[in-house]
Amino acid sequence: RAIADGVGLLDLRGGADLITQIVQFRAADTALTQNLEAGDTRGMDRENTLDALAVRSGTLTKDDRYYKNGAALPPLRLRTETDAAGTRHLLTYKHKRTVTDAKGASIEVNEEFECTLDGTAALEQFLADYGFAIDVRKRKEVIAWTLPLSGEAGAAQNATLELCTVPPLGDFLEI
């Protein structure tokens, strides 16, 4: 389970209420998981909890194909996103590096480089011709919410909360 993905993108200064709400959601999520395992979901609805915290903004399906080849190259992700507005295709490369802070603690930093594609056929043929094959397939069914936050000098900012279902792994909350 993941409670947060990319939490560093949120400006939580003065955001104790958001932290409290996330902790409350996590507690409800834990209770719901226990109830699901026991076959009882009364009073524990994730979507209603998120509806109380933020504004529901829609649903989305993310179909991912991760390509690798025999060389020591990082994988590429080819994603097809489908929502009410239509379908779009994205190519993503994740650059991973390790950063060490002043206290000597190491943290992995993942920087994504992404571009939108008109279609996937030409790229898929190129990848096949150069030894890339699909290594992993993943599908996410997503319900998204927008949570308004206060930024610097009162500037409006938003956080996106996504309740993701990833078979067979289960449900995740991405922030």
Side-chain angles (χ1 to χ4, degrees):
R1 297 197 166 273
I3 184 72
D5 181 23
V7 104
L9 299 176
L10 296 177
D11 181 0
L12 296 177
R13 287 172 286 199
D17 290 340
L18 173 63
I19 294 170
T20 301
Q21 291 170 353
I22 291 171
V23 169
Q24 289 170 347
F25 179 82
R26 183 61 181 150
D29 183 54
T30 300
L32 176 57
T33 300
Q34 292 166 350
N35 288 342
L36 287 174
E37 290 168 356
D40 179 11
T41 61
R42 289 174 291 182
M44 293 308 215
D45 183 41
R46 292 175 175 160
E47 290 183 43
N48 286 341
T49 301
L50 286 167
D51 284 337
L53 297 175
V55 177
R56 191 181 291 231
S57 54
T59 60
L60 175 69
T61 300
K62 299 177 182 181
D63 287 305
D64 294 343
R65 295 173 308 281
Y66 291 85
Y67 287 84
K68 289 179 90 174
N69 72 1
L73 297 173
L76 298 172
R77 180 183 72 203
L78 185 56
R79 171 175 283 171
T80 300
E81 293 184 347
T82 306
D83 63 13
T87 299
R88 69 184 204 147
H89 306 284
L90 304 163
L91 175 65
T92 306
Y93 155 70
K94 293 183 181 184
H95 176 73
K96 295 184 179 198
R97 59 191 170 95
T98 302
V99 177
T100 305
D101 69 12
K103 295 180 181 178
S106 296
I107 184 169
E108 182 179 277
V109 176
N110 294 309
E111 186 175 5
E112 288 191 0
F113 297 93
E114 189 168 83
C115 63
T116 303
L117 306 171
D118 290 334
T120 63
L123 178 60
E124 289 176 292
Q125 186 61 53
F126 172 84
L127 293 171
D129 289 350
Y130 285 90
F132 284 82
I134 295 174
D135 182 50
V136 175
R137 288 181 188 267
K138 178 177 70 178
R139 181 181 186 99
K140 282 185 185 179
E141 296 292 338
V142 178
I143 304 171
W145 288 261
T146 301
L147 178 66
L149 301 174
S150 294
E152 290 185 35
Q157 295 181 6
N158 293 323
T160 299
L161 308 176
E162 292 183 338
L163 181 59
C164 304
T165 300
V166 182
L169 301 176
D171 294 337
F172 299 83
L173 177 63
E174 294 185 355
I175 301 172

